[in-house]
Structures are given as C-alpha cells and as structure tokens.
Amino acid sequence: MEYINTTEVQLQEGYIRVGAGATLGSVYEALDPYNLSAVIGRYKKVGLGLAVGAGFSYFSNSEGLTIDNVVNYEVVLANGTIVNANASSHNDLFWALKGGNNNFGVVTHFDLATVATDGRVLGGIVYYPESSLDELADVIYDYHVNQAVNDIHTHTLPQYGYNGTTNETINFTPVVYNADILELPDILQPWNNTPHYKSTVHNRNYTSLAAELNDGFPDGKL
C-alpha cells in the first residue's frame, strides 16, 4: 500500500481523497495551508487503518471518530471488482467497513470529510513526575467528565511510561486546544497547575504537533 499514498484536497466538495498507503502526517501537511484538517489520528507516521477501525482524533469531542467522517471508500472486492462504498452506493459495505477493518475488501482510497480550523492549534506534551500522579489522576477524571464535555475544542491523551532501571513511572500527556491561541484556557489550566517538569505546549500547526507526538516513539511502536 505504501505506493498508493496520494492526497488530493477537494475544497468545493469538502473532503480530501487519500490513498490507503498515506501517513497521517501527509494528510495534515496537505490540509494545513487551507486552514483545514481531518478527523484522523494524532501521530505523523501512523497509517490509515483507523479509518476502518474507529479512530480517535484531536477533533473527536466535536466530530466523533474517524469512521464517522469517512464519506467514501474505494474498495477492491474479493472478485477483483472495484467499487465505491458510500451512503448512496453499496451502503451495506459502507456500513460494514466502519469498524469492520479489512474483512470485506481491500480499501485503496478514503474520502475524508474536512474540518475547518484556525490554521493554528495550541498543543504539545506535558511531562509529570511520579510524585504528581495521584493529583494528575483527578485532572484526568475532570477531563472526561468536565473539560471534554463543556468545551469540545479540548483534547488530551494521558500516557504513562515506566523506567525499569530507576523503578519510576512518569506521565506524558498531549494537551491540545483546537484554536489559534497562545495559552491554555481556564478549563485546561489544571494540566498546567499540576506540578510537571516539562511542557512543550505552544502555538503551531497540526503538522508540527503530529510530528512531535510521533518523535517519542520508535517506528512500529504506535
């Protein structure tokens, strides 16, 4: 699939046509210049398997999952036939592919609905020491019951790492606000107020954010 990797922005129609071998970073790169994005994953080098699986995104609080935002699948069926599966053509296959993974054919292209953005986003990773993890647990709970519900532009992805040499556990959480602002709004301030030893949160484009989130992981670990 790596050779089927084109991205074609369809501005008038409101979607981007993406080859199944494209990485998420290439989608962000194609859309950033137009102040657009797509409801896709958050890591630059990851592929599009999430578009037939589920797919959490920076925009999930407002737009749902990746599979909710696929408007067409180009699919090679078992008999070699190429079809387009969407709401009006092969709609049973369209339904099945939204979570059915690769069990119903080989998807060669995805048409993904685009999302209007400010062109910039406030985001990065906040790193917490083991001594902050109990306090941070309350912040994570507040995110799910308050922040994500009452401000759909928020996004976080709590992650933990363990160092077997030092017997220490840390937390490194991407914290994102989907707007062109310079500092976190009040609703996300608990992430700042919890003691941490590093933060890379700053104003940038989505391509930059996806690249940083990917940099901490070796290939094949996401």
Side-chain angles (χ1 to χ4, degrees):
M1 284 296 178
E2 64 181 326
Y3 297 107
I4 308 177
N5 59 9
T6 56
T7 56
E8 304 168 39
V9 181
Q10 306 293 327
L11 292 176
Q12 297 301 318
E13 292 81 3
Y15 70 86
I16 180 171
R17 178 174 168 82
V18 183
T23 61
L24 303 182
S26 67
V27 180
Y28 287 122
E29 289 170 1
L31 291 174
D32 269 338
Y34 299 101
N35 290 358
L36 295 170
S37 196
V39 184
I40 55 176
R42 295 149 292 198
Y43 297 91
K44 178 180 179 179
K45 294 184 180 181
V46 171
L48 281 158
L50 75 177
V52 287
F56 288 98
S57 164
Y58 300 124
F59 306 100
S60 286
N61 289 339
S62 60
E63 307 298 331
L65 300 173
T66 299
I67 58 172
D68 300 320
N69 292 274
V70 179
V71 296
N72 184 77
Y73 296 97
E74 182 184 271
V75 190
V76 181
L77 303 180
N79 64 3
T81 303
I82 300 174
V83 302
N84 285 290
N86 52 57
S88 58
S89 175
H90 300 279
N91 60 346
D92 55 344
L93 179 60
F94 184 56
W95 175 85
L97 288 169
K98 291 175 176 284
N101 291 297
N102 61 350
N103 293 303
F104 302 98
V106 177
V107 179
T108 56
H109 290 85
F110 303 87
D111 294 350
L112 307 172
T114 53
V115 177
T117 72
D118 291 344
R120 307 284 291 181
V121 58
L122 184 70
I125 304 175
V126 186
Y127 296 82
Y128 301 92
E130 190 169 276
S131 58
S132 294
L133 297 188
D134 286 345
E135 183 176 343
L136 187 65
D138 293 332
V139 178
I140 294 170
Y141 175 80
D142 182 68
Y143 171 74
H144 289 291
V145 301
N146 172 34
Q147 299 165 31
V149 176
N150 293 314
D151 192 335
I152 57 176
H153 299 298
T154 59
H155 176 74
T156 72
L157 180 65
Q159 301 171 120
Y160 292 85
Y162 174 70
N163 186 327
T165 303
T166 63
N167 194 32
E168 292 179 301
T169 301
I170 66 165
N171 177 283
F172 47 104
T173 293
V175 177
V176 178
Y177 195 78
N178 291 292
D180 185 9
I181 58 176
L182 297 179
E183 60 181 39
L184 292 175
D186 288 346
I187 199 165
L188 287 178
Q189 281 301 319
W191 298 94
N192 262 346
N193 296 337
T194 302
H196 55 278
Y197 61 89
K198 181 181 178 182
S199 173
T200 66
V201 174
H202 66 279
N203 186 280
R204 67 221 296 184
N205 61 24
Y206 285 95
T207 302
S208 167
L209 181 58
E212 184 196 334
L213 266 56
N214 202 112
D215 284 346
F217 295 92
D219 288 349
K221 293 298 184 181
L222 286 171

